[in-house]
Amino acid sequence: MSHEDILHTMANFSHEETQSHKVLMPRIGYTILAIIMAFFCIVSIILNSAVIAVTVKYRQLRHPINYSLVNLAVADLGVTILGGCLTVETNAVGYFNLGRAGCVIEGFAVAFFGIAALCTIALIAVDRVIVVCKPMGTLTFSAKQSLAGIAVSWTWSLIWNTPPLFGWGSYELEGVGTSCAPNWYSTEPVNVSYIMCYFCFCFAIPFITILVSYGYLMWTLRQVAKLGIAEGGTTSKAEVQVSRMVLVMILAFLVCWLPYATFAMMVVANPGMYIDPIIATVPMYLTKTSTVYNPIIYIFMNKQFKECVIPYLCCGRNPWAGDKSTSTEETTGVTSASKRGKVSPA
């Protein structure tokens, strides 16, 4: 290569680098985003790691129904480490400094682990329906069935997130330019077709599964309560507990994912529409904070995990535990439930 060609290449690289470092908001804004994401990453790593650790430590937690809860923690850790932590670094610098390869890796990793987590949430909904409502009679969720569901979650995510690596869709910078995601902005037919399929199969299907499953769960509990089968209002109390948990689950799902999905569809439907990069960044960060909400809602509202995880995090103490007798009864209940291979609905 001649000296002139080298200079020309360097000039082009410098121009592209300058363009890619376009400032979209004040430097303090990037610093604030870095601090916020650092906080959520630390909490997510602590909570999800604790869930995995106590499952390995306590035998009573290692039964089929809880496999999907642990799988959710693994997926959330993947989003945090390969997505959240990289976002902390790029925001601290003030621009995406990981290059094209880094953009593809981050975009794929966040999408892959994120959709696997969404599918796992849908799997948890199906788990609870089978355990609580028993729509298939005495059929229970065996280890083989649970592992099969988990395998389907990862396979489904892999199927729909690898096409951009081979030309159907792509991963590009989004928001204020410090993270990457599927390209919502391109108006090329090949890209629009991918985004539409991605929305339908990776968001709509899990969401519908969650709504139908928990709707059926609530309907079943109401029917049992009306028949007065429960003694001393036990069923009514269980219905209230499940209602509260279901409401929190659906709201968290909507808060974390609906804004992002809505934003993506708005961009695809109206290619010429201008959305301020700072506003466009908010939905993306909401999806990444779901890695903190998930272990709190899906695991810490489960008595089995709560009785094990909280003491694990608090050096053997449980600030929320009642008196000794109550604690003993709850512990006994956890052990007996684990022997039966069942999980309480809340």
Side-chain angles (χ1 to χ4, degrees), residues 23-26 29-30 33 174-177 185 263 274-285:
V23 177
L24 298 175
M25 68 177 179
Y30 290 104
L33 285 178
E174 64 175 353
V176 292
Y185 297 93
F263 163 74
Y274 174 77
I275 299 178
D276 187 274
I278 298 177
I279 296 176
T281 298
V282 175
M284 178 265 293
Y285 280 92

Side-chain angles (χ1 to χ4, degrees), residues 11-345:
N12 286 339
F13 177 81
S14 299
H15 175 69
E16 291 175 2
E17 187 177 35
T18 303
Q19 289 295 103
S20 64
H21 295 178
K22 185 188 298 182
V23 177
L24 298 175
M25 68 177 179
R27 187 66 182 82
I28 186 64
Y30 290 104
T31 303
I32 293 174
L33 285 178
I35 294 173
I36 293 174
M37 283 305 301
F39 169 78
F40 277 101
C41 286
I42 292 171
V43 175
S44 174
I45 290 173
I46 292 173
L47 294 183
N48 288 295
S49 298
V51 167
I52 297 171
V54 297
T55 304
V56 173
K57 182 177 180 179
Y58 298 104
R59 178 178 293 181
Q60 66 264 31
L61 296 179
R62 298 198 298 270
H63 53 80
I65 295 299
N66 287 339
Y67 290 175
S68 55
L69 297 177
V70 175
N71 187 63
L72 179 61
V74 172
D76 284 341
L77 272 180
V79 173
T80 301
I81 295 172
L82 295 176
C85 292
L86 292 181
T87 303
V88 171
E89 190 274 337
T90 54
N91 277 303
V93 173
Y95 64 94
F96 195 88
N97 62 334
L98 303 178
R100 178 60 191 165
C103 180
V104 173
I105 291 172
E106 190 218 353
F108 171 79
V110 172
F112 174 63
F113 285 105
I115 297 304
L118 276 179
C119 292
T120 303
I121 291 171
L123 178 63
I124 292 172
V126 175
D127 284 353
R128 293 187 186 276
V129 168
I130 292 176
V131 171
V132 178
C133 303
K134 300 187 181 301
M136 303 174 189
T138 58
L139 178 67
T140 58
F141 228 65
S142 66
K144 184 180 293 186
Q145 291 168 327
S146 182
L147 291 174
I150 291 172
V152 169
S153 298
W154 289 102
T155 303
W156 189 256
S157 180
L158 184 65
I159 289 173
W160 289 105
N161 285 295
T162 51
L165 303 179
F166 300 98
W168 189 28
S170 62
Y171 293 108
E172 301 292 343
L173 289 173
E174 64 175 353
V176 292
T178 52
S179 66
C180 291
N183 185 4
W184 313 108
Y185 297 93
S186 175
T187 57
E188 296 180 4
V190 65
N191 188 75
V192 173
S193 63
Y194 170 73
I195 293 300
M196 295 299 294
C197 290
Y198 193 79
F199 175 82
C200 292
F201 292 102
C202 294
F203 177 79
I205 289 180
F207 181 54
I208 293 172
T209 301
I210 291 170
L211 287 183
V212 171
S213 297
Y214 285 129
Y216 180 67
L217 176 63
M218 294 304 304
W219 179 83
T220 300
L221 290 175
R222 284 187 177 277
Q223 295 305 310
V224 173
K226 287 179 181 179
L227 291 173
I229 294 177
E231 297 180 1
T234 303
T235 302
S236 298
K237 200 174 289 186
E239 182 184 359
V240 171
Q241 290 177 344
V242 174
S243 299
R244 182 170 61 248
M245 184 183 67
V246 169
L247 179 61
V248 174
M249 287 177 173
I250 293 177
L251 286 177
F253 182 91
L254 292 175
V255 168
C256 293
W257 288 97
L258 189 58
Y260 191 72
T262 302
F263 163 74
M265 288 300 97
M266 286 174 59
V267 172
V268 172
N270 302 281
M273 181 177 61
Y274 174 77
I275 299 178
D276 187 274
I278 298 177
I279 296 176
T281 298
V282 175
M284 178 265 293
Y285 280 92
L286 283 176
T287 60
K288 291 185 178 180
T289 59
S290 66
T291 59
V292 173
Y293 306 144
N294 284 339
I296 293 175
I297 297 172
Y298 290 90
I299 298 169
F300 285 78
M301 290 184 76
N302 180 307
K303 290 181 180 179
Q304 287 181 290
F305 274 96
K306 183 172 66 177
E307 291 300 312
C308 296
V309 174
I310 294 179
Y312 181 85
L313 293 173
C314 299
C315 302
R317 300 178 59 187
N318 188 349
W320 292 276
D323 55 25
K324 188 174 182 180
S325 61
T326 302
S327 178
T328 303
E329 291 175 3
E330 288 179 345
T331 303
T332 304
V334 169
T335 305
S336 62
S338 66
K339 289 179 179 178
R340 294 192 305 268
K342 297 179 181 180
V343 178
S344 57

